[in-house]
Amino acid sequence: MNKYKQIMEALHQTNVSKNADFRRTFNRFFVMRSGTPLYYDKFCFFLQERKDVGATFEEALEELKNSNGKLEISFSSKLVHVL
């Protein structure tokens, strides 16, 4: 629970697209191992871009699909949950 709390607090206190500690903690907590570095960059950029306004599941799914051509249902739901 401490890692989750740390993620949720840091989300609005840092630029998550550039903060390596946040990204590492997020990736480990949510078990995100199958993406490329470019995919993670795009994931975190979208998270940073939407952290104050949120996103629908459909928007997240489409954004991630545009990143790698795959329907990333699990990663999309994680992203929306954190937002």
Side-chain angles (χ1 to χ4, degrees), residues 2-83:
N2 288 336
K3 290 289 181 192
Y4 178 78
K5 185 177 178 185
Q6 180 183 354
I7 290 166
M8 297 309 288
E9 289 174 355
L11 177 66
H12 294 283
Q13 297 173 355
T14 189
N15 182 333
V16 300
S17 66
K18 296 182 179 184
N19 186 308
D21 289 334
F22 177 88
R23 292 174 69 154
R24 190 171 23 260
T25 300
F26 187 95
N27 288 350
R28 287 180 182 158
F29 183 81
F30 285 105
V31 193
M32 297 181 65
R33 295 185 208 140
S34 62
T36 66
L38 179 60
Y39 176 78
Y40 289 130
D41 287 346
K42 291 184 178 195
F43 182 98
C44 289
F45 181 79
F46 185 74
L47 182 60
Q48 174 65 32
E49 186 179 66
R50 296 299 192 94
K51 69 182 183 182
D52 292 325
V53 295
T56 66
F57 177 75
E58 291 80 10
E59 290 170 330
L61 190 63
E62 187 64 29
E63 181 69 23
L64 298 182
K65 181 182 174 196
N66 289 338
S67 297
N68 68 2
K70 299 177 184 177
L71 287 176
E72 298 285 3
I73 295 168
S74 178
F75 290 164
S76 296
S77 66
K78 292 171 184 179
L79 195 153
V80 171
H81 169 79
V82 171
L83 291 174

